[in-house]
Amino acid sequence: MTPMDESKLIAAAQNGDLPAFNQLVLKYQNLAFNVAYRILGDPDRAADATQDAFIKAFKAMGNFHGSDFRPWLLRIVTNTCYDYLRASKRKPTNSLDDELEKKGDSNPRFHDPGEGPDKYVERKELSGLIQWGINQLNDNQRAVIVLVDIHGLSYEETSEVLDISLGTVKSRLSRARSRLRDILQEHQELLPEQYRFPHRDTASPIHS
Amino acid sequence: MKPPLTISDELLSAYIDHQIGEAELQRVEMALAAEPALQQRLEALKATVALLQQAPSLVAPRAFVLSENQVLAAGGTVKGVKQPSFWDKWLPRLMPAATAVIAVLFLFSFALTPQGAGNLSPVTTTQETAVVPMARGLPAEESQPAAMGDDEELAAPKSFSTEQRGAAAIIATDSVEDEAKASEAPGVATGRAAPGGAEAADEAEAAAPPPETKSVSVMAAEDSETTAAIAETEPHTPRVSWVTWLLGLLLVLFGFLSWKVTLGRSHAD
């Protein structure tokens, strides 16, 4: 889909054209679902949040006046995820073992690049470990690290999506990375060889 | 010995993303060259970022395309699709509630009506008290003291059986006959009893010669005739107020409409 096609679809969707909006849904649904999954940490709730976010987006199409649809949509997705996180504040987070042993409907499916079963299992375990680490962060840190490090958004885009200043993006991101580094260092025997951290010098001070 | 340069993780994080200015860049690189521990911190942060960038991408478990019903249910509008009106939206919810309210009102109305469900006996209180004045030829108000006085048996309680009420009516009929006889007696000017009719009747009875004594068989025959006459003249249907009738009709109407609306919704779903 070319940018010209997308702008036509956006214009049509702004006039209430549902099939045009659904073309945009098909283009962005994987991105939206992945962001929701990494923030919420649960595939079922992520699916619900993604669906809710698309409904909100369609209703709010009249308010979209920018040129870039992606950050606008991701803003709605992250806000919906915040609502879900607030609603489930009292629920305990999963343990690492739970995260690594998810089965059945709660087990997310990964894109298959044609790898063997061993590699697939390795990727699945890596994903579970990353997700468990992300789940240990607070809500604001989660959103920033998911957008910047997992989905590759720039600081400016992240600032626009989360409606925060660039300085706040930097500080939240650095705190999230430092916290995650510490968590993963404690469980680095679970990491694949190439991702294991260099030996930690306990004498060195860490300025966070 | 030089003091260690204070390089925060925030600065290191921005350094990884090339988001720092020229002056800070030089400061970080100088510190990294001077401090192996800082170099380790940087490597650990870089490994964390690299790990996150390798996080596997997930497949959406389903297509999230929207249907018209989803959008309309969420209060949105779709081009070419009529927006449901206020009544389309609220009628299916209001109808069952309205039916329930009418049902409650109907039951209350039925229970509170004196002739309602609480008293389904064929002869009502009004009918009972009306027997005496009609028989005596008196207005009902005037006959009340008499009914409570020497004719106590006429003011039968509601719980009396039909036979008992029949007997009360027979006594009243006898009283009429007595009065008629008394009016024919010399010394009595009027055949119509004055207020406090029972006393007047007693006086008339005292003035008149004693009535002829009827045989048991004749009295039994009269009893059965009078009872039959009362049974014919007084219908066995309870009297229900017009409010109760109206509520009953509304209940039937709303119940039917609720059923239709609910049926329509389930078909739409």
Side-chain angles (χ1 to χ4, degrees), chain B residues 140-201:
Chain B
E141 297 79 23
E142 291 175 353
S143 70
Q144 287 299 336
M148 296 301 290
D150 56 346
D151 287 341
E152 260 183 30
E153 67 275 20
L154 297 181
K158 292 178 193 174
S159 59
F160 279 12
S161 66
T162 308
E163 288 78 10
Q164 285 170 315
R165 289 197 198 89
I170 291 161
I171 293 165
T173 312
D174 287 346
S175 303
V176 174
E177 286 171 5
D178 293 347
E179 282 174 21
K181 285 169 187 168
S183 68
E184 288 166 9
V188 178
T190 176
R192 185 185 173 88
E199 288 166 18

Side-chain angles (χ1 to χ4, degrees), chain B residues 199-245:
Chain B
E199 288 166 18
D202 287 346
E203 285 169 15
E205 196 174 343
E212 293 173 12
T213 307
K214 292 177 183 173
S215 69
V216 174
S217 60
V218 171
M219 284 188 71
E222 284 179 356
D223 281 358
S224 62
E225 283 171 13
T226 314
T227 308
I230 288 171
E232 283 173 11
T233 54
E234 292 170 358
H236 282 241
T237 51
R239 290 181 185 172
V240 180
S241 75
W242 65 270
V243 177
T244 311
W245 277 112

Side-chain angles (χ1 to χ4, degrees), chain A residues 35 39 68 70-72 74-76 78-79 82 139-174 176-177, chain B residues 17 19:
Chain A
V35 169
I39 293 176
D68 200 349
R70 188 173 82 147
W72 182 80
L74 287 180
R75 185 172 185 169
I76 294 174
T78 51
N79 284 338
Y82 280 143
D139 299 350
N140 292 329
Q141 291 171 355
R142 263 189 225 191
V144 173
I145 206 165
V146 166
L147 292 174
V148 175
D149 284 343
I150 295 183
H151 292 286
L153 270 68
S154 68
Y155 282 26
E156 288 76 13
E157 281 178 311
T158 306
S159 163
E160 187 183 343
V161 168
L162 298 177
D163 197 22
I164 53 178
S165 69
L166 276 175
T168 308
V169 171
K170 280 183 188 176
S171 62
R172 284 184 186 175
L173 183 62
S174 73
R177 282 172 173 173
Chain B
D17 295 331
Q19 293 285 329

